[in-house]
């Protein structure tokens, strides 16, 4: 009986189906390739600096309207496994940069003041964003596009409309960045409660910009903010408004916060979360702007 058990065990180990189960390749990948469009700006430089040190990124494609070869050579001296490739120009370089990229980050150009009207921003960046989206439909149709061009609530639907004309539109692959608002909300909660901000999380509703986002401090973790006065005070700080003026004044209209260091840090966190999800992490969640919907609240009044 003992010999039979040994022979049975040997035969089972030799079976091809048993060995194939042990040697099956995982259904997820181990690293991602990231493309940063607009790397010649301050925000692009800081984001590239942090992304080069990200262990989830194997290749970093940097595209800029001005030559950025020196920056790419500088980053390649980092002793990390991530390799940096640079592309200069707008028309042809975008198509080359986004090829084989799993995540494409669309950054804004420099030159706009923080208080530039939203209409002028859209007119300045709209054509560029539309051209980038059109090239992504051809050369990176299955990549995750992270739109960071303000106003994100306008440029993200613009990219989505370009993709809707093709067969590759997927609402989960076109996301607007709310990373700066998320990091700011978490930091204010940590400072208010005397906690480590990196361990705090604030659910958010509304749009991706500071003046549109609605942080739910009453549902925050690990400790929510109790009382109306506390929530009002911390929300006023989030919007950049004096506590005595809130909620009469909800925020600064047509104002985009110019803080490239904080935004690059927030973007690197968002890229890491998306990369973790692509690599198979089932607990990779992030607050992003995906869709906008209009609710008809008008009432039909019948003539008397």
């Amino acid at each position: 009986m003992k010999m039979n058990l040994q022979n049975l065990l040997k035969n089972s180990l030799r079976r091809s189906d048993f060995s194939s189960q042990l040697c099956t390749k995982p259904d997820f990948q181990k690293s991602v390739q990231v493309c940063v469009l607009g790397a010649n700006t301050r925000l692009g430089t800081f984001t590239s600096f942090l992304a080069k040190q990200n262990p989830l990124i194997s290749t970093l494609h940097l595209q800029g309207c001005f030559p950025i070869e020196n920056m790419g050579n500088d980053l390649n001296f980092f002793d990390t496994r991530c390799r940096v490739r640079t592309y200069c120009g707008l028309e042809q370089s975008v198509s080359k940069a986004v090829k084989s990229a799993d995540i494409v980050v669309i950054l804004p150009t420099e030159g706009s003041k923080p208080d530039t009207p939203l209409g002028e921003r859209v007119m300045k960046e709209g054509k560029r964003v539309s051209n980038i989206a059109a090239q992504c439909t051809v050369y990176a149709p299955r990549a995750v596009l992270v739109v960071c061009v303000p106003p994100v609530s306008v440029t993200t639907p613009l990219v989505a409309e370009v993709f809707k004309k093709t067969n590759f539109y997927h609402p989960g692959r076109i996301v607007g960045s709310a990373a700066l608002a998320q990091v700011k909300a978490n930091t204010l909660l940590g400072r208010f409660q005397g906690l480590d901000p990196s361990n705090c999380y604030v659910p958010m509703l509304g749009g991706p910009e500071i003046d549109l986002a609605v942080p739910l401090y009453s549902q925050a973790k690990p400790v929510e903010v109790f009382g109306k006065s506390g929530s009002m005070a911390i929300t006023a700080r989030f919007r950049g408004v004096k506590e005595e003026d809130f909620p009469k004044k909800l925020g600064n209209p047509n104002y985009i916060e110019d803080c490239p260091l904080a935004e690059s840090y927030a973007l690197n966190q968002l890229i890491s979360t998306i990369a973790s999800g692509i690599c198979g992490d089932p607990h990779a969640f992030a607050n992003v702007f995906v869709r906008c919907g209009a609710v008809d609240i008008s009432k039909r009044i019948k003539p008397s």
Side-chain angles (χ1 to χ4, degrees), residues 253-270:
N254 295 330
Y255 183 82
I256 303 296
E257 292 199 36
D258 184 20
C259 42
L261 282 172
E263 188 171 0
S264 61
Y265 169 80
L267 278 177
N268 185 63
Q269 284 191 341
L270 178 59

Side-chain angles (χ1 to χ4, degrees), residues 34 36 43-44 46-48 50-51 54 57 103 105-108 146-149 176-180 183 260-274:
V34 176
V36 179
L43 177 59
F46 300 148
T47 303
S48 304
L50 295 176
N54 196 321
I57 301 177
I103 303 173
V105 183
I106 307 176
L107 300 181
V146 182
V147 184
C148 309
V149 181
S177 171
L180 178 59
V183 166
L261 282 172
E263 188 171 0
S264 61
Y265 169 80
L267 278 177
N268 185 63
Q269 284 191 341
L270 178 59
I271 293 172
S272 298
T273 303
I274 297 175

